[in-house]
Amino acid sequence: AISREAKEYELGEGKYYLAVVFNAIAWQCFFLGSIGVIFCSSSLLSGIVIAALLPVTEVLAVIFYHERFQAEKGISLFLSLWGFISYFYGEIKHNTNRKNVKHDASQTELTPVVP
C-alpha cells in the first residue's frame, strides 16, 4: 500500500518517502519528549501538555493545510479547552483554599497554661 501511495503522491515518490521518514522522526521526538516530561515531572503534566497541544494542532491544520473546520473539530476543540480550563481552575481554587487554611492556622495563638 505504501508503494502505491508513493506513486500516487503529487510531489513524487522521493518526497513521499522523505515525508514519511520525517514524520516518523517527529513522532519519535514527541514520544521521547512526553517520556522526558513524565520522568522529570509527572504523567499528569505530560497529559496536560498533550491535551493543551490538541487544540493548537487542530487550529494549525485549518490554517496551514486548509482543512475544513467541521462540527466534529469544533466540538473536540471546545471539549479539550473546557477540560484544560477546568483543570487549571480547580488547581487554582485548591491552592487558594490550601493557602487560606495555612494562613488561618498561623493566626491562632496558643496561650501558655500556668498551673
Side-chain angles (χ1 to χ4, degrees):
I2 292 177
S3 62
R4 181 176 39 88
E5 285 182 6
K7 289 176 186 172
E8 295 173 0
Y9 193 62
E10 292 177 9
L11 301 176
E13 280 188 64
K15 289 188 179 180
Y16 176 81
Y17 289 117
L18 191 65
V20 168
V21 167
F22 278 121
N23 193 7
I25 291 170
W27 274 104
Q28 290 298 318
C29 290
F30 168 75
F31 285 121
L32 183 65
S34 62
I35 296 297
V37 169
I38 292 170
F39 180 73
C40 292
S41 181
S42 69
S43 60
L44 178 63
L45 180 63
S46 178
I48 292 168
V49 170
I50 292 169
L53 290 178
L54 178 66
V56 172
T57 305
E58 290 177 0
V59 170
L60 290 178
V62 169
I63 292 171
F64 289 114
Y65 295 125
H66 306 293
E67 288 187 8
R68 293 181 43 180
F69 194 81
Q70 298 173 345
E72 294 86 8
K73 266 189 210 242
I75 291 171
S76 68
L77 179 65
F78 172 73
L79 289 175
S80 62
L81 288 175
W82 184 17
F84 189 66
I85 291 169
S86 296
Y87 171 77
F88 278 110
Y89 176 74
E91 282 295 310
I92 290 169
K93 194 171 183 174
H94 179 71
N95 287 337
T96 55
N97 286 343
R98 191 181 318 174
K99 285 179 185 177
N100 289 340
V101 169
K102 284 183 182 179
H103 183 68
D104 289 343
S106 66
Q107 294 287 331
T108 56
E109 293 182 23
L110 297 174
T111 56
V113 176
V114 180

